[in-house]
Amino acid sequence: NDSEQIAYNVYGTGEISLIFIHGWSCDSRYWHNQTSTFSGNYKVVTMDLAGHGHSSSNRQDYTMLSFAHDVKAVIEKDNINQAILIGHSMGGDIIAEAARLMPEKVTAIIGVDTLHNVAEKISQNTLDEFSKPFEVNFQSAMRAFVSPMFPKGTNIELIRWIENDMSSAPKQIALSAFRNYLGRYGD
């Protein structure tokens, strides 16, 4: 809808399509284990939202609604009529927005590690304090943000890969998406 080029991959076939939406500062590679698991019974689509992975990055603002339009564009381009949207973390907000844009095509949404209490309000002061470390030293703040998310015993190589990958995201794009995502819960 805004001339961004959205990279996506399709695996398998089926009447129902599972569309996997990555989280903040991630990309479609985070779903690689799911593609072979589900592509035997479904059409599986993984995509890079604008500003992520192999998609273009020409927007001024990276909002949940603009990302939802990315999802809609892929669904329309691939002529998908029945979609189940699966969103990780920030992707949960995106799939909720995308479902609002296409209620006739989206049959279900599944959130994976998304915010649990969408009615909770966060003060602007708290949002500013939370985002400040990312503005000061994005890579260091990202590493500090990522590492505590994993349970004890998680493969250390996987943790390091995710820390390095997410901390290499374009700072301005990440901050724009981050502010929009968390700002939706501001009071």
Side-chain angles (χ1 to χ4, degrees):
N1 69 312
D2 63 358
S3 301
E4 289 285 1
Q5 298 295 308
I6 305 302
Y8 70 99
N9 297 295
V10 177
Y11 308 89
T13 59
E15 205 171 297
I16 298 173
S17 298
L18 304 180
I19 302 174
F20 290 87
I21 308 303
H22 60 79
W24 179 55
S25 297
C26 301
D27 59 40
S28 61
R29 295 172 299 153
Y30 287 68
W31 297 109
H32 75 274
N33 288 332
Q34 285 69 34
T35 57
S36 61
T37 300
F38 292 106
S39 62
N41 297 313
Y42 301 95
K43 180 183 209 176
V44 174
V45 178
T46 61
M47 58 182 287
D48 294 336
L49 299 167
H52 297 77
H54 294 290
S55 291
S56 62
S57 54
N58 299 310
R59 285 188 183 132
Q60 294 299 310
D61 293 313
Y62 291 83
T63 67
M64 300 310 103
L65 184 57
S66 66
F67 291 141
H69 280 285
D70 296 344
V71 175
K72 183 180 180 194
V74 169
I75 287 172
E76 289 175 349
K77 171 84 170 144
D78 222 55
N79 296 313
I80 294 170
N81 293 314
Q82 285 187 288
I84 296 173
L85 306 181
I86 300 107
H88 170 248
S89 190
M90 180 184 80
D93 258 28
I94 296 165
I95 63 172
E97 288 292 335
R100 284 186 197 108
L101 294 174
M102 305 168 286
E104 72 288 350
K105 292 184 182 249
V106 176
T107 59
I109 60 173
I110 300 170
V112 179
D113 195 25
T114 61
L115 285 175
H116 300 286
N117 184 354
V118 296
E120 180 181 4
K121 294 296 182 187
I122 303 169
S123 73
Q124 186 60 49
N125 193 35
T126 301
L127 292 173
D128 292 343
E129 285 297 314
F130 193 69
S131 64
K132 188 174 185 173
F134 293 96
E135 294 167 3
V136 173
N137 186 332
F138 180 78
Q139 290 182 336
S140 176
M142 184 63 86
R143 281 179 168 64
F145 175 75
V146 170
S147 60
M149 290 187 203
F150 295 92
K152 195 174 203 172
T154 301
N155 179 312
I156 194 71
E157 290 178 23
L158 175 64
I159 295 170
R160 296 295 172 252
W161 178 79
I162 294 171
E163 285 177 342
N164 290 333
D165 188 59
M166 289 180 69
S167 66
S168 69
K171 177 181 175 180
Q172 290 312 112
I173 293 170
L175 288 174
S176 176
F178 187 72
R179 286 185 195 110
N180 181 266
Y181 175 51
L182 291 180
R184 294 162 59 95
Y185 300 99
D187 56 4

